[in-house]
Amino acid sequence: MNDMAVPTLSTAERDRRWALTRELMARENLDALLVFGEHEDAGPAQVAYDTWFTNERPGTTVVFPRDGEPIVHLPGGMFILDHLESSRRGDESWIPPRNLRASRTSAEITDTLAELGLNGGTSAS
């Protein structure tokens, strides 16, 4: 087997991206972002904004609070298995397992917003 190095993004890149996001949120007076990523079931994902925050497989929904760590909602069991396999291989994940949720239903996302103390806000127009 050939142990070819696969290019990866560093945690320094994660920190840079997250800092830029938090600067934008502070400037726009936002407490959180809800970031949708389209799943690749029908071919390459057309909208994969979630990967900019997670550096993981596209198709998740990210709750990105201005304060605290992002919470990632996964659309199905294969995403959990992908995360476990990456961990087994020693890949460094941007999102710790404690911040993964096994569903991205509206009820689950509402629960996450409440958990983060963000259930009393209003949406930006």
Side-chain angles (χ1 to χ4, degrees):
M1 185 163 124
N2 185 358
D3 288 336
M4 191 168 72
V6 176
T8 59
L9 295 173
S10 66
T11 53
E13 175 59 16
R14 176 203 64 196
D15 294 346
R16 184 189 74 82
R17 290 178 182 199
W18 290 9
L20 286 171
T21 302
R22 290 196 168 100
E23 288 170 15
L24 168 77
M25 293 167 69
R27 188 170 57 247
E28 298 297 324
N29 197 30
L30 299 172
D31 294 325
L33 295 176
L34 182 61
V35 183
F36 175 77
E38 188 174 292
H39 193 276
E40 73 275 6
D41 278 349
Q46 299 298 309
V47 178
Y49 301 116
D50 57 322
T51 63
W52 199 85
F53 297 96
T54 65
N55 195 34
E56 303 258 354
R57 179 179 176 182
T60 65
T61 299
V62 180
V63 178
F64 194 99
R66 183 168 46 181
D67 301 313
E69 298 177 328
I71 305 290
V72 178
H73 288 264
L74 309 172
M78 285 304 297
F79 283 74
I80 296 169
L81 294 175
D82 285 349
H83 195 81
L84 288 170
E85 175 60 19
S86 293
S87 297
R88 186 196 65 76
R89 288 192 317 252
D91 297 343
E92 187 172 355
S93 178
W94 288 5
I95 307 297
R98 70 179 175 275
N99 290 348
L100 298 175
R101 303 295 186 267
S103 173
R104 65 177 188 172
T105 65
S106 58
E108 291 288 333
I109 292 169
T110 300
D111 289 347
T112 295
L113 293 172
E115 174 187 333
L116 296 171
L118 298 169
N119 54 338
T122 59
S123 62
S125 52

